[in-house]
Structures are given as C-alpha cells and as structure tokens.
Amino acid sequence: MACTHDHSCEDHDCSSNWSLYKHIDLAKVTALNEANPGSVKSVFKAWEERLNSSRERLESNEGDPELLVYIPFTSDVKIKSISVVGGADGTSPSKLRVFINREGIDFSDAQSMQPVQEWELVENLQGVLEYQTRYSKFQSVANITLHFPESFGGDTTQIHYIGFKGEATQLKRDVVATIVYEITPNPSDHKTRAETGGGLSHVE
Amino acid sequence: MVLEATMICIDNSEWMRNGDYGPSRFQAQADAVNLICGAKTQSNPENTVGVLTMAGKGVRVLVTPTSDLGKILACMHGLEIGGEMNLAAGIQVAQLALKHRQNKKQQQRIIVFAGSPVKHEKKTLEMIGKKLKKNSVTLDIVNFGEDDEGKTEKLEALLAAVNNNDTSHIVHIPAGPNALSDVLLSTPIFTGDGEGGSGFAASAAAAAAGGISGFEFGVDPNLDPELALALRVSMEEERARQEAAAKKAAEESSKQEKGGEEQDATMTECASEGASEADNKKNEFLQALAMSMDEPASSHDLQDTEMSDAATEDPELALALQLSVQDSAKDSSSQSDMSKLLADQSFVSSILASLPGVDPNDPSVKEVLASMQSQSEPQQKQDEDKAPKEEDKK
C-alpha cells in the first residue's frame, strides 16, 4: 500500500493519521443532490476501509454530477490534508471547493461564493493521493462544506471515501445565537446603580 | 412532527371567480389555506408558514415564513382577484423565500394551488422540478378548478421531476358537493409523510362531517393538544406493555395446570414487579386504560400489581394481601375441603361438645348441621346422626 510520504509504510500505521473521521458528527452530515438520502454517511470510515465499497457509496442524481456535502465536527479541528476516492469510468469528481464554518449553503450560494480553497482533483481510485490545505486557514474548523461541481465526464459523480488528516482540539466554537439590536436605547433597560439606589456614593 | 418551513402559493387569477367550488373557488382556496396553516403549526410549534400570490400584477409575497397564525390569516383578507397565474415564477419566488428562512434546520416545502390553466411548457416545469429536487425542496400540488388539455399532464411531470422518495404529492380535486378543504383533509398533504398531523386531521374531519365527537380518547386536540399527545403516547406505550404481558400470560396459562405453587410464584413475581415500579399517576392511568381495553389475561396481573402497589410500604400488609389472594384463588379447592370436614360428623360433634352451652342433641343445632351438609348424601347424614345419638344416649 503506497503512501505519499517518501518512506515505506511498514514502519508505522497510516491509519492513525487519518483519524479525524472519528470527530465527525455523523448524525448531522447532509448532502445535496444525492440519489439516496443518507448515503453520504457511508463515505466516512477508517483509512483501511477506504477501498471497501461493499456498502453504499455517495452518488449524485442521474445526469447531474454536482454534489454538495456538509460536514460538522464534534469539536474544532485543524485540517492538514484531504483525501477523496471517487468512482471509475469518469464518475470521479474533477474539482473540489471548500467552505469553512458556513451553514446552510446551497448550490446557488456555492457557485457564487469564493471558496476558502479549491483544488483540481485527479482520479484517485487507490486512495493514495492527498490534497494539502493552506494550514493557516484551517486552524479552527467547526464544520466544512465540500462542493464538487463536476466529474470527469460521467453522468453522475460517485464518491467512495472522504478522509481528513489533522488534529482535533478540545475546543468547541460557539456561535452567537441571538443578538438584540437597539435602534434607540431605552433608558429603562439601562438603569445604573446610582439610580436604583445602590452603591456607596451619596449626595448630601 | 417534521420541522418544516412551508410556502403556500395561492392562485388569485380571474378563473377563481367561478362558483363551482363552495361559495367561490377563491373562498374555498382561502379556507383550505387556513386549515393547512393550522395543521402545520399544530404538528410542530416551530414550523413556519408563508403565503404568496401568483397572479394579479405579478408574484407577490404576502407574508414570509412565520409561525404567527394571526398574521397569516390577516393577510388573506382583502386579496383581489385578477390577472393570470404565473406558476414558474411563483415556485421560484417561493424557493427564494424558503432559502432565506431564519431557521436553517427546517425542511423546505412548497404547496401550490393550481386552479387556472398552466401556460408553461412541460420542459420548463421539469427543469424547475429538478432544481427543487437538487436543493431538497419538497412540493405539494393541489390541482383543482380548470382542467384544460395538458394541465394534468404537465403537473404530473413536474411532480415526477421533484419527487424524491414519495415526499412530494399531487392531489386532483374535481368540483363537487364537498368543500375543497374537506377533501384535502384526507390527503397526504394534510396527514404528512408519517402520522404527522393525523390527530388534527382526524378531529377536523369529524367536526366537518357534523357528527358527534369522534376524537381519539374523547379529548379534542384543538382544546388540549398536550393532553391529546400525552394520551396518544401513553396508549402506544401501553400497547407495547400489553404485548409483553400477553406473552407472559401465555406462559402462565401453561403453568397454571401445575397447581398452586406456580401461582404463588407468579404472584410473588407480580408483587416484586409492583415494588419495582414507582407508584405514580402514570402507572394507575396505564392500568385503567388496560382494564378498559378488556384484556382478561393481563388484567389479572394488573389487579395483583395494583394491590401490591398499595402494599409496598407495609410488608406485613403485603403478606396478608398475598394470603388473601391465594385464598380467593384457591376458593374452590378450599370449599371442598370444608365440606368434607363438615361431612365428618364425629369431627363436628366433637367440636360442638367442646363448646359450652351447646347440646348436640338440641334439635335446632341438628337442623343447622343438616343444612350445612346439603352437599353430602342425605342417607349418609341420617345414619351418622343416628349413630352419635345412640352413643350419646348411652
């Protein structure tokens, strides 16, 4: 099993590097334009099983090779590189664009927005290629959205495996849930201590 | 109970003046819209519904998706009829409105009322349908009113393009005596994909039919939705419990022939069961439901558990209860024992002799004895009577 490092693989186990799949919140993973709802969850597995396509794989709808995959993590992660194993006969994705920490992206958003990074992919049927990220931009990733706009000429796009290499931190990124904006301040909302009669200062 | 954001597209074109549905097509549509809004908000309080019109001067959004029912009802007032329906634009604007919903976790759904002829090409509609499917938006189509050539075909093609796993539906409603909203109540648009708003639909249907309350559990979901929900849930739990109890009862009935020992075992089992369950209102409620359901096999167990429930605090009382239950169960056998004892005359007379102030020779005592032994053979009694008499006399 060849790796992209320049030493032989028997010394250590590659699979431990690709262990970020354990930090994926699988229940909340969604995909747009998938032929079977829910099949996207089958592409996140251990490194050893990346070529094992006996289970379901992610396939896009007939005649439309675009795919959008939304992946939330259970804690913030730093992503060093990404690996994608596609299908044969031109059904591998040819391009990848990623967006970080944005929820609810759909196809029109994905096509118009500037991605954090994009790659030209090659057919990677053996799962030996990885695409490195600009690490400084992927330092605290709470969720990532992968957009595969086209395939290598096939009618559909098939994905057998998606892997992430990196580290998981124990932090969790907190989003501000509700913000109340004031157009004009209401004095009754901003009582100072002096007005309510507290504090030590008196005027005598 | 799916979390959903819905956009309803209303047809307010000239064709809606027709009176073949209800007071007018437009009025029937408005009633249907009100019902849908109510059903959606009830099945999940976080659902939002929005409304837009497709005809008139152009596609106009009356209210963006909101959970405020009053706002939706208010905007339906004062709508003007006129113009031609623009189905494609209506659906696209609805999709845009859903895209900007506040809660991104909601599923997106569009409900279209198509009452006037569709002027778009089939291909255009299919492309729109594909785009909806790609963005996982589900579509419900209510086909009523005008039925010119190709309209049904086009709408069916649109549905086929959108449909993903039967989540989208189309309903054809011909003009007839029933109101539009009543016919809609029985369709999957109302009942949802699962059990969804079935409670609401069932009660509304019952009310609409003008009959007596056919509500489940005799509680109107409209008046007290939480109670109706609690009843429904506890009913399902009770069913599951009864299946388990029925299994156990089947095992017990095979054991019962073996005798009282086994009965003791099951009764102690019940007592321990009762002890382990917390005594709370829900338990009693479940038992009441079960008993009203008339399941003889399980009710026996339940009665035991009921008594054991009361006696959990007092072990002596529990023991006494057990014994009394055993006695009542063993009644037939014990009764026969008693009568055998009574039939033994010598035993009876020895008892009577030991009692102070009772003379076995007293005729009234003898009468009582005779009546007690009504089960034994009369000849045997008389012989036995005579024998002790002679003995006494001696």
Side-chain angles (χ1 to χ4, degrees):
Chain A
M1 166 168 84
C3 286
T4 50
H5 344 280
D6 46 8
H7 59 267
S8 69
C9 215
E10 290 107 25
D11 296 341
H12 67 270
D13 190 8
C14 274
S15 65
S16 57
N17 291 340
W18 294 95
S19 58
L20 272 185
Y21 73 95
K22 294 180 190 156
H23 297 269
I24 294 179
D25 194 350
L26 262 185
K28 298 205 189 130
V29 171
T30 58
L32 286 183
N33 205 28
E34 56 177 345
N36 300 321
S39 59
V40 61
K41 301 190 177 139
S42 63
V43 303
F44 302 107
K45 44 203 169 185
W47 170 256
E48 296 92 26
E49 307 195 0
R50 71 194 185 283
L51 298 176
N52 179 9
S53 55
S54 58
R55 283 166 63 211
E56 274 185 271
R57 56 180 181 277
L58 173 61
E59 186 158 2
S60 69
N61 278 317
E62 273 296 316
D64 193 353
E66 243 185 306
L67 271 177
L68 198 62
V69 183
Y70 168 73
I71 305 160
F73 293 97
T74 52
S75 64
D76 286 5
V77 298
K78 306 181 205 246
I79 301 181
K80 237 186 259 179
S81 53
I82 306 178
S83 171
V84 176
V85 176
D89 294 334
T91 54
S92 278
S94 60
K95 257 180 144 169
L96 169 62
R97 304 161 82 230
V98 302
F99 306 89
I100 293 201
N101 293 336
R102 299 284 298 263
E103 297 174 9
I105 298 184
D106 71 351
F107 283 107
S108 46
D109 295 336
Q111 281 150 10
S112 54
M113 270 164 49
Q114 196 64 247
V116 173
Q117 195 169 351
E118 63 181 306
W119 294 268
E120 297 284 337
L121 305 178
V122 279
E123 284 195 347
N124 183 16
L125 297 170
Q126 297 308 311
V128 298
L129 292 177
E130 57 186 75
Y131 302 94
Q132 285 200 328
T133 64
R134 276 185 219 127
Y135 201 40
S136 57
K137 297 199 177 164
F138 288 75
Q139 282 301 303
S140 77
V141 178
N143 57 65
I144 189 171
T145 306
L146 306 176
H147 178 216
F148 301 96
E150 5 175 277
S151 68
F152 280 105
D155 240 359
T156 64
T157 301
Q158 289 177 9
I159 296 187
H160 294 264
Y161 169 74
I162 297 179
F164 297 100
K165 191 196 252 184
E167 305 170 357
T169 65
Q170 296 308 311
L171 309 166
K172 208 148 200 298
R173 179 171 176 263
D174 257 323
V175 177
V176 182
T178 48
I179 310 175
V180 177
Y181 295 99
E182 280 185 329
I183 306 250
T184 49
N186 188 354
S188 57
D189 286 341
H190 301 276
K191 280 199 158 47
T192 64
R193 254 177 31 177
E195 285 170 35
T196 54
L200 295 171
S201 56
H202 292 286
V203 175
E204 294 189 45
Chain B
M1 290 277 191
V2 185
L3 185 58
E4 248 184 3
T6 311
M7 277 302 288
I8 306 183
C9 303
I10 299 182
D11 181 2
N12 60 335
S13 60
E14 284 288 345
W15 281 268
M16 291 301 112
R17 287 191 206 275
N18 199 329
D20 53 357
Y21 291 82
S24 76
R25 285 182 184 170
F26 184 71
Q27 201 48 47
Q29 220 188 152
D31 292 338
V33 169
N34 292 342
L35 263 178
I36 294 179
C37 295
K40 293 287 176 193
T41 347
Q42 249 204 10
S43 73
N44 188 330
E46 283 189 49
N47 280 351
T48 55
V49 182
V51 178
L52 62 78
T53 52
M54 293 191 284
K57 291 214 185 91
V59 175
R60 190 160 70 101
V61 176
L62 297 173
V63 56
T64 58
T66 170
S67 49
D68 185 359
L69 207 58
K71 220 195 236 183
I72 300 167
L73 298 178
C75 80
M76 298 287 295
H77 283 296
L79 278 181
E80 286 177 7
I81 301 181
E84 266 184 29
M85 170 178 84
N86 188 347
L87 185 63
I91 295 181
Q92 284 168 334
V93 171
Q95 194 184 350
L96 199 63
L98 285 173
K99 186 170 143 179
H100 294 285
R101 63 198 186 286
Q102 274 184 328
N103 184 358
K104 299 287 178 192
K105 294 202 177 100
Q106 290 167 327
Q107 297 280 332
Q108 303 172 70
R109 181 176 288 273
I110 301 179
I111 304 182
V112 172
F113 283 86
S116 43
V118 175
K119 62 182 187 229
H120 304 279
E121 292 295 323
K122 201 159 141 197
K123 268 219 155 323
T124 326
L125 293 176
E126 276 178 1
M127 271 180 42
I128 293 177
K130 279 213 189 103
K131 195 155 159 249
L132 288 176
K133 183 174 175 187
K134 195 165 162 184
N135 287 296
S136 78
V137 180
T138 49
L139 178 67
D140 289 333
I141 307 174
V142 180
N143 180 13
F144 71 110
E146 294 297 312
D147 187 26
D148 66 343
E149 339 76 52
K151 180 188 179 198
T152 314
E153 212 187 303
K154 288 178 187 171
L155 293 177
E156 293 275 2
L158 173 60
L159 184 85
V162 176
N163 206 353
N164 182 8
N165 245 11
D166 270 341
T167 47
S168 302
H169 317 96
I170 183 169
V171 182
H172 306 277
I173 304 182
N178 298 329
L180 185 70
S181 24
D182 293 342
V183 180
L184 267 182
L185 277 169
S186 54
T187 59
I189 294 182
F190 253 97
T191 56
D193 295 327
E195 34 82 45
S198 59
F200 180 90
S203 61
I212 328 159
S213 60
F215 302 138
E216 265 184 307
F217 315 122
V219 173
D220 182 0
N222 288 321
L223 290 179
D224 201 344
E226 288 153 353
L227 180 57
L229 178 65
L231 287 169
R232 207 196 306 168
V233 169
S234 65
M235 194 64 182
E236 287 165 9
E237 278 182 30
E238 179 56 29
R239 277 206 197 104
R241 200 160 155 268
Q242 273 178 0
E243 278 167 33
K247 257 193 215 167
K248 214 171 79 180
E251 289 170 17
E252 277 171 37
S253 57
S254 61
K255 278 191 208 163
Q256 257 177 13
E257 289 153 5
K258 290 181 186 169
E261 285 292 326
E262 295 296 338
Q263 267 191 341
D264 287 344
T266 50
M267 271 185 243
T268 44
E269 269 178 39
C270 288
S272 59
E273 247 188 55
S276 59
E277 287 172 6
D279 49 324
N280 50 14
K281 276 187 184 174
K282 189 188 172 203
N283 215 18
E284 290 167 10
F285 189 75
L286 289 175
Q287 288 162 12
L289 265 182
M291 288 196 276
S292 66
M293 290 269 288
D294 224 17
E295 288 253 2
S298 47
S299 63
H300 178 69
D301 294 347
L302 284 168
Q303 277 171 9
D304 292 334
T305 34
E306 213 182 350
M307 285 200 301
S308 314
D309 261 344
T312 36
E313 290 92 353
D314 196 344
E316 287 176 329
L317 181 56
L319 193 58
L321 279 172
Q322 264 188 12
L323 287 171
S324 68
V325 171
Q326 283 175 25
D327 286 342
S328 65
K330 287 184 183 172
D331 244 352
S332 51
S333 52
S334 47
Q335 264 195 0
S336 52
D337 285 345
M338 279 295 286
S339 51
K340 275 182 202 154
L341 284 172
L342 286 172
D344 192 356
Q345 188 58 29
S346 54
F347 177 73
V348 174
S349 53
S350 62
I351 291 177
L352 289 175
S354 61
L355 292 171
V358 175
D359 189 1
N361 293 332
D362 198 350
S364 57
V365 174
K366 281 183 196 158
E367 277 176 29
V368 171
L369 275 175
S371 66
M372 276 198 335
Q373 288 164 27
S374 56
Q375 287 173 9
S376 329
E377 289 172 359
Q379 280 181 356
Q380 229 183 358
K381 255 197 291 181
Q382 282 180 2
D383 289 340
E384 286 171 358
D385 273 347
K386 282 180 189 163
K389 253 196 213 170
E390 288 167 6
E391 282 179 23
D392 283 305
K393 279 180 183 166
K394 287 176 188 168

